[in-house]
Amino acid sequence: MTIAAFVSDLSADFRQHVMGEILAPVLALHDRSRFEIRLYSIAPAANEDALLPVAADDFVCLSDDDDPAAARKIAADDLDLLVELMAHSAYSRPGIMARKPARVVATHLGSHGALGKV
């Protein structure tokens, strides 16, 4: 199978949380013949009651990594798109996105109107 794009999401809410509930059906609709889906979790280990790992091709826990290390791990995966889903909500890690670890970085849903220039 030839993958056209590596698409990933960064969040602490791949669990029983409103974001997990919203994202699950969206992930199910991705054309897996064209996109590889990778989820990067930044949830504290105590909150890691993951709901969505089965909805992705890969699930990566970054909770033990500091921002520079997490950004390096993401960058090493050579992503086409990384969508950050936390913004300034609890457990957010804006230092990861500030390092622009993918060709295209975007933020969506979590306080999306309050970020300024990303």
Side-chain angles (χ1 to χ4, degrees), residues 18-105:
V18 68
M19 182 59 67
E21 300 295 331
I22 291 169
L23 195 56
V26 172
L27 291 174
L29 293 173
H30 282 72
D31 181 348
R32 294 311 244 301
S33 68
R34 297 180 58 217
F35 301 99
E36 180 176 321
I37 307 301
R38 184 169 294 142
L39 302 180
Y40 294 96
S41 176
I42 53 175
N47 281 340
E48 191 83 22
D49 56 343
L51 169 70
L52 299 177
V54 296
D57 298 299
D58 197 9
F59 186 83
V60 180
C61 181
L62 300 173
S63 61
D64 291 334
D65 295 304
D66 63 11
D67 290 353
R72 282 191 301 274
K73 284 183 179 179
I74 294 169
D77 287 338
D78 194 31
L79 305 175
D80 295 301
L81 172 65
L82 177 64
V83 180
E84 186 271 338
L85 301 170
M86 301 296 299
H88 295 299
S89 57
Y91 309 119
S92 68
R93 306 259 308 265
I96 295 172
M97 293 300 275
R99 290 167 172 80
K100 305 219 185 288
R103 282 186 274 294
V104 176
V105 295

